[in-house]
Amino acid sequence: MQITPQVGLDRRQFLTASAALVVAASQVKGSSRVFAAETADQVIAGKSPKLIVHNGKIGEIETPIELLRQNEVTPKELLFIRNNQVLPGSMKLAPANQPDWGIDLIGLINAPARVTVAELAQIPQTETECVLQCSGSGRTRYAKTAKVDGVPWGQGAMGNVRFKGVVLSQLLEKLKVTVQPNAKFVAVEGKDVPDKPGAEDFEHSLPLSDALSRTLLVTHMNGEALPLAHGGPVRTITLGYYATMNVKWLSRLRFESEESANYNHVGRYRTPLKPIAPGSAFKTTLTNSEPNWNMRIKSVIFAPLEGEKIAGGREVLVTGVAWNDGQAKLAAVEISIDEGKSWRRAELTHPASPYAWHPFKLKAQLPAGSHSVRSRAVDVLGNSQPLDGGIHWNPAGYIWSGVDEVKFEVT
Ligand SMILES: Nc1nc2c(c(=O)[nH]1)N[C@H]1C(S)=C(S)[C@@H](COP(=O)(O)O)O[C@H]1N2
Ligand SMILES: [Mo]
């Protein structure tokens, strides 16, 4: 890592900056990120100062693997943050305390309806542990194939959390709202404000059937009121979907016959339907690409850490987590310590929720020297992770799902 002296910083800024730099240097060895102006707790009050700040202005914050692996359920202090734009006043982990916050339901339904956060609390609740993963998580892995645009996320734009809320179909039942037969999508709108004048609002469309059965209107996370920074007082979580579809500060649900034409749904957060040449340009449209909806099957190695030096003469413990969109059971996680030539089954734990992290572990005897370990998850339908994740290369580097790889040394 190269340290370039910054010109024009005052002393207080410099001290902050150098403290952040020390944290950055110890957390993200080998990262291309050189400088963090602020620590995460300065960006969002309550976050751990050890998180990686990619953007302190709107809040793009990653969890280093060495912190992510410490808890089965990721505490709010450690959970990543991704804002495209922000609801003013929401850059904190405090709860929202807004019982009068209303959500409008409009479009292809029998009659428009409105529900408040206080009313949501009166409807039967569902609580589920699930992976929350930005579709850009792991983006930097694509750089081996060709340059990609966007926040240079490692594998830590994700976490495993417990969300509680009301399933959309149960809300409709309670409100006596019926959906018209020509409705095919639900557009989910957030109340945040575009960060540039003239920019479009943040919203996404979901296919109706998944929206009804797998979308929760979430008011609680990890047993507490949903923090403002994570979308409090209410956000959507569509189980098994990428986090970008999980709209924070939920304001409106539109039942429609078509997918939203909103820039964030059509111009971003989509991948080409057919493979494209790495490095080429691609403009997404409603018909040439698909939204970042269901999560691809994926595994991430938690130990060893990249670049770790492990004392010889003892077994090396390989650990990590795997998950998918929760629709097909995970069958196995396989580990290779010989660059993909042979694979061994790890011990895999099936959590209560199919949407949660599935921890895996394997012990390996390794001689002194340089080593690499690879992991790949397989589900009962045979879906797995490609050895070369670059086959899914796309200009924005969405939905990385290649075999994970970590290099380390036994001394
Ligand atoms: N209203 C709103 N919702 C949003 C966003 C946003 O910018 N505005 N960002 C999305 C993206 S891209 C991600 S990855 C997740 C991140 O959720 P988190 O910040 O709670 O971790 O929120 C999603 N929901
Ligand atoms: Mo995201």
Side-chain angles (χ1 to χ4, degrees):
M1 178 184 289
Q2 250 191 354
I3 300 172
T4 319
Q6 293 280 303
V7 190
L9 288 183
D10 68 30
R11 187 177 150 73
R12 193 196 67 86
Q13 280 172 327
F14 177 73
L15 286 176
T16 314
S18 41
L21 192 62
V22 171
V23 171
S26 64
Q27 300 293 332
V28 286
K29 225 187 292 167
S31 159
S32 59
R33 198 176 55 91
V34 175
F35 210 85
E38 292 169 288
T39 54
D41 56 322
Q42 292 170 318
V43 178
I44 293 176
K47 285 288 174 192
S48 163
K50 293 177 180 163
L51 302 183
I52 303 161
V53 179
H54 290 291
N55 178 336
K57 201 166 149 266
I58 54 171
E60 292 173 289
I61 299 175
E62 175 169 356
T63 317
I65 296 295
E66 53 266 54
L67 295 183
L68 198 54
R69 68 184 185 179
Q70 288 175 356
N71 304 277
E72 263 178 55
V73 171
T74 313
K76 62 176 186 237
E77 294 80 6
L78 296 184
L79 185 62
F80 84 98
I81 282 275
R82 180 14 168 167
N83 292 324
N84 292 272
Q85 47 193 50
V86 186
L87 177 72
S90 67
M91 295 283 269
K92 44 176 104 101
L93 283 189
N97 294 325
Q98 284 169 276
D100 297 335
W101 178 286
I103 301 141
D104 290 305
L105 291 82
I106 63 162
L108 301 173
I109 48 181
N110 58 329
R114 186 179 170 84
V115 66
T116 65
V117 164
E119 288 160 356
L120 279 179
Q122 306 306 312
I123 303 171
Q125 306 283 313
T126 298
E127 186 165 30
T128 309
E129 199 177 303
C130 66
V131 171
L132 182 70
Q133 182 198 199
C134 175
S135 57
S137 195
R139 169 178 290 138
T140 48
R141 303 283 206 270
Y142 279 117
K144 254 192 190 176
T145 306
K147 188 183 161 292
V148 283
D149 297 328
V151 187
W153 299 113
Q155 296 276 40
M158 62 140 172
N160 187 55
V161 273
R162 248 181 327 115
F163 283 119
K164 191 170 90 174
V166 175
V167 177
L168 181 55
S169 61
Q170 295 186 358
L171 173 66
L172 298 191
E173 221 170 281
K174 191 78 185 176
L175 297 176
K176 301 197 163 42
V177 164
T178 53
V179 180
Q180 292 172 12
N182 52 340
K184 293 204 176 71
F185 299 94
V186 179
V188 187
E189 291 180 38
K191 212 189 173 96
D192 44 341
V193 182
D195 65 334
K196 292 178 203 86
E200 288 193 43
D201 200 2
F202 194 83
E203 65 174 53
H204 278 297
S205 291
L206 308 169
L208 180 68
S209 64
D210 286 349
L212 291 175
S213 61
R214 285 159 63 183
T215 299
L216 303 176
L217 283 75
V218 164
T219 53
H220 288 76
M221 185 174 92
N222 296 348
E224 292 175 52
L226 183 64
L228 269 161
H230 290 288
V234 58
R235 79 181 297 173
T236 57
I237 292 291
T238 303
L239 295 167
Y241 273 43
Y242 284 101
T244 186
M245 298 294 155
N246 298 168
V247 175
K248 307 199 271 192
W249 312 296
L250 175 65
S251 59
R252 199 154 74 147
L253 298 168
R254 305 190 318 261
F255 294 79
E256 298 176 332
S257 59
E258 306 287 338
E259 274 181 68
S260 167
N262 179 284
Y263 173 67
N264 289 299
H265 187 69
V266 181
R268 307 175 67 202
Y269 296 113
R270 302 177 81 88
T271 54
L273 288 175
K274 293 187 206 133
I276 57 168
S280 59
F282 189 83
K283 189 178 179 324
T284 54
T285 67
L286 277 179
T287 49
N288 70 4
S289 54
E290 59 185 345
N292 296 170
W293 279 337
N294 282 285
M295 284 193 277
R296 282 196 189 131
I297 187 167
K298 189 167 173 182
S299 61
V300 171
I301 297 166
F302 279 0
L305 292 170
E306 181 68 31
E308 192 173 344
K309 286 185 171 55
I310 299 170
R314 59 184 174 91
E315 281 178 318
V316 174
L317 183 63
V318 179
T319 69
V321 292
W323 71 93
N324 62 1
D325 59 5
Q327 304 309 293
K329 196 175 171 182
L330 290 196
V333 171
E334 300 171 334
I335 304 291
S336 175
I337 49 173
D338 57 7
E339 278 149 14
K341 287 182 210 85
S342 69
W343 296 84
R344 280 196 268 170
R345 285 200 165 195
E347 189 184 317
L348 179 64
T349 305
H350 286 273
S353 161
Y355 300 104
W357 273 351
H358 293 53
F360 64 82
K361 63 178 178 200
L362 180 83
K363 283 181 188 153
Q365 281 287 354
L366 292 169
S370 298
H371 293 278
S372 68
V373 61
R374 287 173 169 75
S375 70
R376 72 172 177 210
V378 188
D379 72 18
V380 292
L381 297 176
N383 296 307
S384 187
Q385 304 179 251
L387 253 185
D388 174 11
I391 59 161
H392 289 302
W393 188 93
N394 60 96
Y398 291 129
I399 58 177
W400 169 264
S401 65
V403 160
D404 200 19
E405 182 191 345
V406 163
K407 292 192 171 79
F408 62 100
E409 224 175 285
V410 174
T411 58

